[in-house]
Amino acid sequence: MKREITITVLPEEEKNQKIIKNLVEKALARENISSKGHKIFWKLEKKSIDARHGKVKFHLRYNVFIDEEEKALENDFIPKWKKVSEGENRKHKSVIIVGSGPAGLFSALKLLEYGIKPLVIEQGEETRKRSQDIAEISTQGKINSYSNYCFGEGGAGTFSDGKLYTRSNKRGNIPEILQIFNYFGADKKILTDAHPHIGTEKLPGVINNIRDFIKDSGGEFYFNSEVVDFLVNKNKEVLGVKIKNTQNGEEKELTGEAVILGSGHSAYGIYSKLAEISPSSLEAKTFAMGVRVEHKRSLIDSIQFHGQTESLEAAEYHLTTQVEERGVYSFCMCPGGFVVPSSSCDDEIVVNGMSASGRNSQWSNAAIVVETRPEDIPQGFVEKAEKMGSRAIAGLLYRKYIEQLTKNQGEGQKAPAQRMTDFIDGRKSENLPENSYTPGTISSRLDLWLPEAISSRLKEAFKAFNKMMKGYLCPDALLIASETRTSTPVRIVRDKESRECIGLKKLYPVGEGSGYAGGIVSSAMDGVKSAEVIAEKLKK
């Protein structure tokens, strides 16, 4: 017999198995189930923290097994993959996957279940070399436009946190995605934490394990390979891609039964190529831009936990408000984390956030961004986009403009920054607080040069957030510009049923770059769904 129960404990009681046992037995008694004469086993399914009403508590959800020890101990997850070498279609069927982010890697794993060979194309480097390229951004201000925080093996999330929390409960099997990450080396805590998180120092190893498995199963990887064109026949079917080696310039063509496009939200070249060959494939969508806000971790912990910070992990927060008919909200909150340089070209400054698995730095940060709708894009960018083939990419051009504007206010990859109180009061910060952004920060009047539609709303939002979190608005809170890559301004339109790109058959847009997902887990699920559709189609 199995029962699901939830108990509530204080932080100091969480590890006390005697207390847990007593509470489990009491919960069972309320269901008229006596523990006497029975063997009781319990398995933690989910842990969440509750800091409401001035008291910190943990809610622990357990599966309780009565006289079923073998079921309590069994591993619920069994990998389904078949090696391509054992698949009946191995000699004839392969699918090209553009991008080795979560959408690409998880679609590759799904294809292997069907005996289909994945050919994964990645313009960036493998994680080991990519980590060196990323280090040079902070130490030398040097950016490899093909290998950075945005591009390279594992995608944009690999070196910027590894958050696995998603609200996309109806888009796929979230537990299975988490189990796969655990299977390839992520800590088992991701299976039970309410807001699971791998950690930036651990995720690259997990990604390497996934890549090695795909290769051992017959898949192929093409690193340092930029997609420069799509091979399209007269029936508007995508037969493959033309790739260019970013190190020696050599070009070659790859063909397959289909192309899964998981190139990410920063792949300007892919959007530009689609605007050129199939403008109807693109549509403008809402996105968001703003700044990174960094506080001392001790302050955020104290606010969120009402001063009860001992033995607790770094505190998270989620803030949202409406200002002048636009949403302003926190995004990618990194408790006990760092602000990192996320530019993908030398002519821009973009910032992001990350945390190690321990979330133990002395700072906590989050993007605070303003909703930006297609109608908010200045007309000049719309006109330029139309000349490039599709007005849908106007948001990309506007985003790029702000990133370049930010660069002009900085120095190298030193980012422009301003104390939150000075931003609201309209004055330059005479000095800046110590912060986590390793390339360095430069005092700048963000309130003057950020677009008015963004800066004015941020000012009002910070005041509102201070009412929600008393002490949030303070002199040591630092704004670091600019946060622009929360999502893509463009959607690659696809058919709801076939999941093929509208205008280009056999092209399957997935992940964040498609405009249909946002984050590691939702992107992974999106890739899995398209791989399933392709595999079922190829079976016919």
Side-chain angles (χ1 to χ4, degrees), residues 255-460:
T255 58
E257 303 292 335
V259 175
I260 294 176
L261 184 61
S263 47
H265 60 34
S266 296
Y268 286 92
I270 293 294
Y271 294 122
S272 297
K273 177 56 65 173
L274 290 175
E276 174 190 329
I277 65 175
S278 183
S280 64
S281 300
L282 303 176
E283 68 177 14
K285 63 177 282 290
T286 296
F287 61 113
M289 297 188 290
V291 296
R292 270 277 150 183
V293 175
E294 183 170 80
H295 292 81
K296 284 283 188 180
R297 171 191 162 183
S298 57
L299 173 66
I300 298 300
D301 290 356
S302 181
I303 293 172
Q304 292 298 84
F305 296 146
H306 314 289
Q308 305 170 54
T309 59
E310 188 176 352
S311 75
L312 292 172
E313 296 180 352
E316 299 182 46
Y317 65 77
H318 176 70
L319 297 168
T320 183
T321 189
Q322 285 278 321
V323 181
E324 297 174 5
E325 300 182 332
R326 294 293 182 270
V328 185
Y329 54 91
S330 61
F331 178 85
C332 185
M333 197 271 150
C334 300
F338 304 88
V339 181
V340 296
S342 197
S343 306
S344 50
C345 290
D346 278 324
D347 64 350
E348 64 194 24
I349 287 180
V350 181
V351 295
N352 198 353
M354 54 76 70
S355 300
S357 59
R359 291 181 161 176
N360 52 7
S361 91
Q362 60 180 302
W363 296 280
S364 290
N365 69 77
I368 304 295
V369 291
V370 178
E371 176 188 6
T372 304
R373 300 178 184 175
E375 59 265 32
D376 300 332
I377 307 300
Q379 185 60 27
F381 299 101
V382 176
E383 293 173 357
K384 184 176 180 181
E386 288 174 339
K387 292 179 181 178
M388 295 175 65
S390 173
R391 66 181 298 149
I393 64 172
L396 284 173
L397 302 179
Y398 184 42
R399 184 176 77 175
K400 181 68 174 179
Y401 161 77
I402 292 178
E403 293 168 354
Q404 292 176 326
L405 183 63
T406 307
K407 171 78 171 186
N408 293 337
Q409 308 299 321
E411 181 182 309
Q413 283 299 305
K414 289 184 178 180
Q418 188 176 18
R419 293 178 185 265
M420 186 183 289
T421 48
D422 292 336
F423 179 78
I424 289 174
D425 293 337
R427 60 174 177 260
K428 183 177 180 179
S429 298
E430 293 302 321
N431 54 65
L432 299 176
E434 183 184 8
N435 60 80
S436 68
Y437 186 72
T438 52
T441 51
I442 293 178
S443 181
S444 175
R445 288 287 303 274
L446 275 60
D447 59 299
L448 290 181
W449 59 263
L450 280 174
E452 173 68 16
I454 294 176
S455 63
S456 62
R457 290 184 171 94
L458 286 176
K459 289 179 182 180
E460 294 307 311

Side-chain angles (χ1 to χ4, degrees), residues 75-83 86 109-110 112-114 176 179-185 213 217:
N75 188 343
D76 296 330
F77 178 69
I78 301 174
K80 301 175 183 177
W81 308 292
K82 299 175 183 178
K83 289 190 176 183
E86 299 170 355
L109 291 174
K110 180 57 65 173
L112 290 174
E113 288 185 30
Y114 293 85
E176 182 177 60
Q179 287 168 331
I180 291 172
F181 274 118
N182 173 240
Y183 179 82
F184 284 110
F213 177 86
S217 301

Side-chain angles (χ1 to χ4, degrees), residues 41-161:
F41 305 91
W42 55 88
K43 181 186 294 186
L44 181 64
E45 291 298 314
K46 192 65 65 177
K47 179 181 82 170
S48 60
I49 190 168
D50 184 350
R52 296 172 298 173
H53 313 303
K55 191 72 173 179
V56 179
K57 302 180 287 291
F58 287 128
H59 298 306
L60 307 176
R61 189 174 84 231
Y62 287 96
N63 276 335
V64 181
F65 300 84
I66 298 98
D67 296 326
E68 293 187 351
E69 180 179 7
E70 68 283 355
K71 289 187 178 180
L73 298 176
E74 70 183 10
N75 188 343
D76 296 330
F77 178 69
I78 301 174
K80 301 175 183 177
W81 308 292
K82 299 175 183 178
K83 289 190 176 183
V84 173
S85 59
E86 299 170 355
E88 60 183 14
N89 298 319
R90 65 186 180 276
K91 294 181 180 179
H92 306 292
K93 295 184 179 179
S94 60
V95 170
I96 295 169
I97 300 171
V98 181
S100 66
L105 292 177
F106 276 73
S107 62
L109 291 174
K110 180 57 65 173
L111 291 173
L112 290 174
E113 288 185 30
Y114 293 85
I116 299 170
K117 182 176 185 175
L119 309 177
V120 185
I121 301 169
E122 172 56 57
Q123 74 166 7
E125 293 275 7
E126 297 183 32
T127 54
R128 186 181 299 276
K129 177 60 170 67
R130 185 183 176 193
S131 64
Q132 297 171 5
D133 294 332
I134 285 171
E136 289 182 352
I137 300 176
S138 293
T139 59
Q140 304 175 31
K142 177 183 175 183
I143 295 176
N144 180 335
S145 59
Y146 297 110
S147 177
N148 44 64
Y149 274 101
C150 294
F151 300 130
E153 184 179 19
T158 304
F159 290 94
S160 56
D161 224 30

